[in-house]
Amino acid sequence: MSNSSTKQQLNPRANVFILVNLGCEMLYVIDQRLKAQQIAKDKSVQVIHDVTAVLLDPKFIDSLLNGSKHNNAQLLTAEHCKFMLNDFATCSVMRIDEQSMGKLWSLMTMLYKWQLFVSRHQHHLLEITFRHLDAINKLYPDAKRHMLIDFTKNTLLDFWNASGEEAQLSIYSTNKAWLECFNTKISLLIRLGFQGMDGSFFKDVDQEYFGDYVQTIGDNMYVKSEEPHQQAGREPNRIDQLAAQLNINPLPEGEDLQPINARQFQEQFEQTFGNVLLDEGHSATGCEFVQLQPAGSSTEAHSRAGDSILNQNLIDLYSKMA
């Protein structure tokens, strides 16, 4: 492929879709961790609302859209996106340490990569984006956030329609190409049977529940995977898959069942899954996965008072990107 065709494929107009979709995936994880860590509801509401307000601020969205139309516009790098989303994630009363942010980043990128992997048409990108926005609208909804999300959807729809078919395909292709460098194993995807232990995604999946996930790509997968009827239908496949991943062979026909050596099984499990990002609250060693740290009592009042100033500073900073 020539350099000119590569530049044409990597369309800077993809910037807004990359950031918005990754940001929504980030909000899914933050919401899941707030609940798992039993953070007080008032703080949880504040965190979700603050991050949403900065991510979808109209000035920020407009700067991304307008900046991407310039002749010298450039596609955002992964480092730049990670830096901005880290700022967004920590713009409220919660803090995320560096290690947790790295794991959070892997979850964001790999879930979004899988969503585009199972998509089949450029217009699926817009559908995924809208499902992301609708899903975060359900996280402690209020009238102000509802209006903000509706405004974002209308703005993105106008931008998409004005781009034309060729540019839409280029934006879609750029999103997929941008994610190609990420290849982290995610236990949620592995347990669902969508990802292999080499980090690749499966093209052909036999499980009946796969279709339900594909038809709603962009929805909150953490909530979806906990639905009781899907959990019941998925359990045998999960056990079979774990056994296959651990290379546990079925017993020969007629051979009596033998008791399981729990310690040996645990060691084998940890050895196989030790470098897999676990979406549950704890890894095999009992360490917290994504640790959200509430501001200390001595600084909490100051943090609350300065939230609007901090958020506005972030908005002003990133609105000057164009």
Side-chain angles (χ1 to χ4, degrees):
M1 182 180 292
S2 66
N3 291 336
S4 59
S5 61
T6 302
K7 289 181 180 179
Q8 184 179 5
Q9 180 189 10
L10 299 179
N11 191 334
R13 294 190 178 204
N15 286 339
V16 67
F17 293 97
I18 292 171
L19 272 170
V20 168
N21 283 298
L22 289 180
C24 289
E25 283 293 330
M26 178 177 71
L27 279 162
Y28 291 170
V29 180
I30 291 175
D31 176 64
Q32 191 250 9
R33 296 313 309 144
L34 289 168
K35 289 182 171 67
Q37 294 176 216
Q38 300 181 335
I39 303 299
K41 184 176 179 180
D42 60 335
K43 282 189 176 181
S44 297
V45 172
Q46 183 182 357
V47 170
I48 296 298
H49 285 185
D50 285 351
V51 177
T52 304
V54 176
L55 174 67
L56 301 182
D57 181 82
K59 288 201 301 182
F60 174 59
I61 298 297
D62 283 343
S63 73
L64 288 173
L65 299 179
N66 295 329
S68 67
K69 298 175 185 177
H70 295 169
N71 293 331
N72 60 345
Q74 295 182 352
L75 186 67
L76 293 173
T77 65
E79 291 75 16
H80 197 176
C81 289
K82 185 177 182 180
F83 182 82
M84 284 192 290
L85 289 169
N86 179 66
D87 275 354
F88 296 169
T90 57
C91 71
S92 190
V93 295
M94 304 304 294
R95 299 292 174 259
I96 304 178
D97 61 38
E98 185 176 351
Q99 182 180 13
S100 291
M101 187 61 205
K103 295 177 179 179
L104 174 57
W105 174 251
S106 292
L107 278 173
M108 286 187 278
T109 52
M110 290 305 296
L111 266 294
Y112 185 39
K113 181 179 179 179
W114 178 81
Q115 291 159 9
L116 291 181
F117 174 80
V118 298
S119 66
R120 293 293 179 264
H121 193 274
Q122 64 216 51
H123 294 297
H124 289 163
L125 174 61
L126 194 65
E127 293 178 12
I128 291 169
T129 307
F130 278 20
R131 284 201 186 98
H132 271 134
L133 292 169
D134 288 338
I136 65 170
N137 195 23
K138 298 175 184 177
L139 305 178
Y140 308 109
D142 68 2
K144 183 178 179 181
R145 297 311 179 281
H146 183 76
M147 291 177 61
L148 181 63
I149 289 168
D150 276 352
F151 178 83
T152 302
K153 291 170 68 175
N154 289 333
T155 301
L156 292 178
L157 181 61
D158 290 342
F159 177 74
W160 182 260
N161 289 335
S163 297
E165 287 286 332
E166 185 177 351
Q168 290 168 3
L169 178 59
S170 177
I171 293 170
Y172 171 68
S173 299
T174 299
N175 271 260
K176 297 185 77 169
W178 192 90
L179 293 160
E180 278 303 308
C181 63
F182 303 107
N183 197 43
T184 307
K185 291 171 285 188
I186 305 297
S187 71
L188 175 61
L189 295 174
I190 291 174
R191 288 187 290 102
L192 289 170
F194 302 159
Q195 186 182 28
M197 288 303 294
D198 62 352
S200 63
F201 299 133
F202 295 129
K203 292 183 178 179
D204 299 318
V205 180
D206 295 331
Q207 288 88 339
E208 294 179 0
Y209 56 85
F210 177 71
D212 187 43
Y213 279 87
V214 171
Q215 291 167 11
T216 57
I217 44 176
D219 278 0
N220 191 331
M221 188 174 281
Y222 307 100
V223 172
K224 197 174 188 63
S225 65
E226 294 171 358
E227 293 176 1
H229 72 279
Q230 292 194 358
Q231 184 72 16
R234 185 169 63 246
E235 197 68 28
N237 291 318
R238 287 178 57 186
I239 298 301
D240 291 343
Q241 183 190 357
L242 284 174
Q245 300 284 12
L246 291 169
N247 295 318
I248 300 175
N249 297 321
L251 290 171
E253 187 174 355
E255 183 173 334
D256 292 336
L257 293 175
Q258 299 296 322
I260 295 175
N261 185 318
R263 181 180 297 276
Q264 181 180 1
F265 182 86
Q266 178 70 11
E267 290 175 354
Q268 191 174 9
F269 181 88
E270 291 181 8
Q271 181 179 3
T272 304
F273 284 88
N275 61 341
V276 179
L277 285 177
L278 300 178
D279 54 273
E280 290 83 6
H282 298 79
S283 69
T285 58
C287 298
E288 196 75 25
F289 168 55
V290 175
Q291 178 67 46
L292 303 180
Q293 303 167 350
S297 57
S298 60
T299 61
E300 184 172 342
H302 173 74
S303 176
R304 286 181 179 272
D307 280 339
S308 59
I309 298 176
L310 174 61
N311 291 351
Q312 191 59 50
N313 287 342
L314 279 177
I315 292 167
D316 291 342
L317 172 64
Y318 291 121
S319 294
K320 298 174 182 177
M321 289 172 47

